[in-house]
Structure formats: structure tokens, C-alpha cells
Amino acid sequence: MRIHSIEAIPIEMPLGRNFGGSTYTVLKRCTVVTRMRTDEGLVSEVYNGDNREHGREIVRLIHDELAPRVRGRNPFEGERIWDELFALTRGARDPKTLLEAIACVDCALWDLVGKAQGHSVCSLLGGHRSRLPIISIGGYYAEGKTHADIGREIEAYRRAGMAGCKFKVGGLTPEEDAKRVEAARDAGGRDFILAVDANRGWSAEDAVRFAQLVEPLDIRWFEEPCHWYDDVALMARVRQATRIPITAGQSEVTRHGVRRLVEAGAVDLVNFDASEGGGVTEWRRAALLCRTAGVEMAHHEEPQIAQHLIAAVPHGTYVECFADPERDPIWQAMWANRPPIKDGMLEVTRDPGFGLILDAGMIRRYRV
């Protein structure tokens, strides 16, 4: 069996309002659909990324740089193919975007291997669990949003079957954001998982102050608390000053960046994103590194990919999604056969590969 062709399609879906955090805005839901076919008629179709600006460049890289190196190859040579593609980053002007393109190809390869063998990607990676707790990303800032509005938002997540929420902070003062988190905890109750994500919005001093204010609220983790320019050292300081576990990794694009976080004592959990960091192959390497160090694994967004990865390893935690259909219409509609969510748990699909059946009509409508 050989890879015959690769097609990549950029998708852009306008959103009705801004879903930004403390340091960014989100006005479109963008992703890249990758279709890979073999000479025996096997077809992979996956989607990767929440890219907001550069989906077309990812597609160009796949078509012009990666596909010529992958066509004609055996899909079971994934490690060798990955290393050859990664070698292109050494001379790349934008290695981060190139790694996102490599992730699309790598995930399509894993999907093909799973379909060829009749196993899910979760099973190929170890199949540690068949179901996982699932949490929604939420708590977005909006003009005029009150604490009562926050309470109603959290109640909506509970009705949607979510086990918890990763709540946005870092855009206000520590005191103001602590009050917002308290409103979320009051609405969710003590059995509701509540994590917070500052998106690198604070100094170490402000992050420590916030952590001290919310420690009594049983916060599962405090994600990316500090500014980007010295984040590892700053997070290590915050971690030493609070009982709340510290999480980071979504801004890293290789396992080497993850190792840097772990060796610095900056994190208790790593949420490395396979769609940002070269795909399943590199995520698996990062997960092995973290298990050796006693660091738990999460995953930034991407439930269609993350469920297989998190469920495969014994130190996996939660799948993240956007329960609000306005934020992620792809999760809500394009993945036609996604598993049901009940009582805070997601059943990991047992279908071969990633088990995705995508909405062809939506792809035609929103391709760019």
C-alpha cells in the first residue's frame, strides 16, 4: 500500500461575536481538512487546528513542500516520514507554521494506519481508557457581562453534560478576575471541575496574587499564568508560591519545548497540542517524557484528536471542547458521528483511525 495523493482544504467560518481571551481575539473558526488517499482506495479525512489567520499558508506548505515527499510512501513508515518532514524546519523562515502543516499530514497518516488495521488511534497508542471526562472552554470576556451572566453560562455547561470548565482570566486585575471565578464556582458547585487560563496575561506578581485569592475555590489548574517573554522562569516562581497546579505547553511546538518546561519545574500538567506541534508522533514523544517526570497530560482544544491521545495514556486528564455552539460550529455540526456526552463523560470512538465522518456540505460552503 502506497500514498497516492494528499489534498488540504482551508476552512473559515465567521463567528457571531468575539471569543477572545486576555491577549487575543477570535472572530473566525478556522481549520484545515486533510484528505489522504492510498493506491488501494483507502481514504483518510481529518481536520486540525483552530488557526485564525494562516490556514491558507498551511495548505500551501502541504501541497508544495510536504505532499511531494510523502506521495508514494508506505503509510506505516510514519516515524521515518516525520523525521524527514521535520528536517525541513531547520531552514524554514516560519518553523511554527510548517509544524502545523506537518501535523495535518502526520494525523492523516495515523488515521490511515488505524483504518488499514481496523483499530482506533487510541488503541494504536495504548488504549488505556474507553471514556474520559470532558470540560468546556468558557468564561470569555464580553462588555456588560455580569456575575449573574457567568452563573448562567456555567449552568448551561452543566446542562450540556460537561464535567467542568476552563475559565478565562488574565484580562482584568487579579481581584476582579478572582470575583469572576468565585461566581463560576458558586454556580457550578464543588463537584464541577474548574480550571483557569490566563493566556499569558499577567506578571508573576499578579499571577501569584490571583492564585492566593482563588486557592480556596478548589481550582484544578492555573494555565499559562505569565507573560510570554520569560514564561518558564516566571511560571516556576508562581508554582512555588501556590498549591494550585500550573499548566502550560500549548504554546510549545516540539517535545524539546515541553522538556524545557519540565526541567525548569514550571508545570504540573502539560497541554501540548498535537495540531500545533507536528501531530500525534510528536505528542506521543512529549507524553512519554512527561510520564517519566510525573507530569500529567492535557491537550489544548481539538477534541476530535485529543480524545484518542488522552485516553491512550495513564497520565491523561480531560478532553477540552467548546460547548457553546457559536464558538465551535465544526465540533457541533461538521463531525457528524461524534460520540455522545453524558454525565460529564465522553465515550472515545472505537471506529478505525480517528473515526471522523465530516460534513461534505459544510466543507464546500466554508472552504476558501
Side-chain angles (χ1 to χ4, degrees):
M1 181 168 61
R2 300 287 170 177
I3 297 165
H4 177 266
S5 64
I6 303 173
E7 178 188 14
I9 304 167
I11 305 294
E12 293 185 5
M13 305 176 71
L15 302 178
R17 58 188 174 92
N18 180 20
F19 285 89
S22 64
T23 58
Y24 65 96
T25 60
V26 177
L27 300 173
K28 296 183 293 184
R29 172 62 170 106
C30 304
T31 194
V32 173
V33 174
T34 306
R35 292 174 179 151
M36 186 178 290
R37 293 175 171 86
T38 73
D39 56 1
E40 297 181 3
L42 198 61
V43 180
S44 167
E45 188 173 65
V46 298
Y47 71 94
N48 288 90
D50 193 19
N51 308 297
R52 291 177 279 277
E53 301 294 339
H54 53 285
R56 299 183 201 205
E57 175 60 11
I58 292 171
V59 167
R60 186 197 69 78
L61 288 166
I62 292 171
H63 288 162
D64 295 349
E65 302 293 335
L66 305 186
R69 292 170 167 84
V70 176
R71 280 194 296 266
R73 303 293 292 274
N74 184 336
F76 289 90
E77 298 175 350
E79 288 280 350
R80 182 184 300 176
I81 292 171
W82 194 93
D83 285 346
E84 291 177 13
L85 298 183
F86 182 73
L88 298 173
T89 64
R90 296 167 193 158
R93 287 179 298 177
D94 184 3
K96 181 181 184 298
T97 302
L98 181 53
L99 278 161
E100 292 178 45
I102 292 171
C104 294
V105 173
D106 184 76
C107 288
L109 282 168
W110 278 92
D111 192 52
L112 277 183
V113 169
K115 288 176 176 175
Q117 294 189 338
H119 295 296
S120 70
V121 172
C122 178
S123 295
L124 295 176
L125 294 172
H128 188 72
R129 283 174 288 176
S130 61
R131 51 202 304 266
L132 289 167
I134 183 167
I135 63 176
S136 178
I137 303 170
Y140 290 99
Y141 297 102
E143 186 175 354
K145 188 174 185 178
T146 66
H147 290 179
D149 293 329
I150 290 171
R152 285 187 284 270
E153 177 185 349
I154 298 299
E155 290 167 2
Y157 294 150
R158 297 212 70 149
R159 289 194 301 272
M162 296 293 118
C165 175
K166 188 170 82 173
F167 192 88
K168 295 297 180 181
V169 298
L172 300 173
T173 67
E175 290 75 17
E176 290 171 311
D177 267 336
K179 292 177 181 177
R180 294 174 64 249
V181 175
E182 184 175 4
R185 171 53 76 206
D186 288 344
R190 286 289 168 174
D191 63 336
F192 189 73
I193 298 163
L194 190 60
V196 293
D197 182 5
N199 292 116
R200 295 173 156 184
W202 277 321
S203 66
E205 292 76 16
D206 281 346
V208 169
R209 176 61 183 153
F210 170 80
Q212 291 171 342
L213 290 168
V214 300
E215 274 186 353
L217 301 179
D218 190 22
I219 302 302
R220 179 61 177 91
W221 73 60
F222 186 4
E223 186 172 320
E224 288 195 329
C226 300
H227 298 313
W228 69 270
Y229 49 81
D230 196 17
D231 59 338
V232 175
L234 296 175
M235 285 191 296
R237 286 173 55 190
V238 176
R239 184 169 178 254
Q240 290 297 316
T242 181
R243 300 190 304 272
I244 300 172
I246 302 299
T247 302
Q250 74 177 62
S251 298
E252 306 299 335
V253 295
T254 69
R255 67 188 183 279
H256 308 288
V258 171
R259 187 195 68 236
R260 181 173 59 101
L261 292 171
V262 172
E263 289 180 345
V267 291
D268 299 281
L269 300 96
V270 162
N271 65 335
F272 189 55
D273 186 330
S275 294
E276 300 279 339
V280 174
T281 299
E282 187 73 343
W283 191 93
R284 179 175 62 170
R285 296 165 177 166
L288 289 170
L289 184 157
C290 288
R291 188 177 184 193
T292 302
V295 171
E296 293 182 283
M297 289 301 294
H299 192 287
H300 171 244
E301 301 180 13
E302 298 285 274
Q304 79 284 1
I305 303 293
Q307 61 167 301
H308 292 270
L309 308 184
I310 297 296
V313 298
H315 55 311
T317 55
Y318 316 110
V319 173
E320 296 177 4
C321 73
F322 295 105
D324 185 339
E326 293 186 33
R327 171 59 178 87
D328 193 357
I330 293 176
W331 161 252
Q332 298 293 334
M334 192 162 88
W335 181 7
N337 65 328
R338 64 184 179 92
I341 298 168
K342 184 178 180 182
D343 299 329
M345 301 297 288
L346 173 73
E347 295 288 339
V348 179
T349 177
R350 295 181 174 87
D351 294 334
F354 287 108
L356 300 177
I357 299 176
L358 304 187
D359 186 327
M362 188 173 286
I363 293 173
R364 286 193 297 270
R365 181 180 179 184
Y366 291 106
R367 65 182 300 162
V368 293

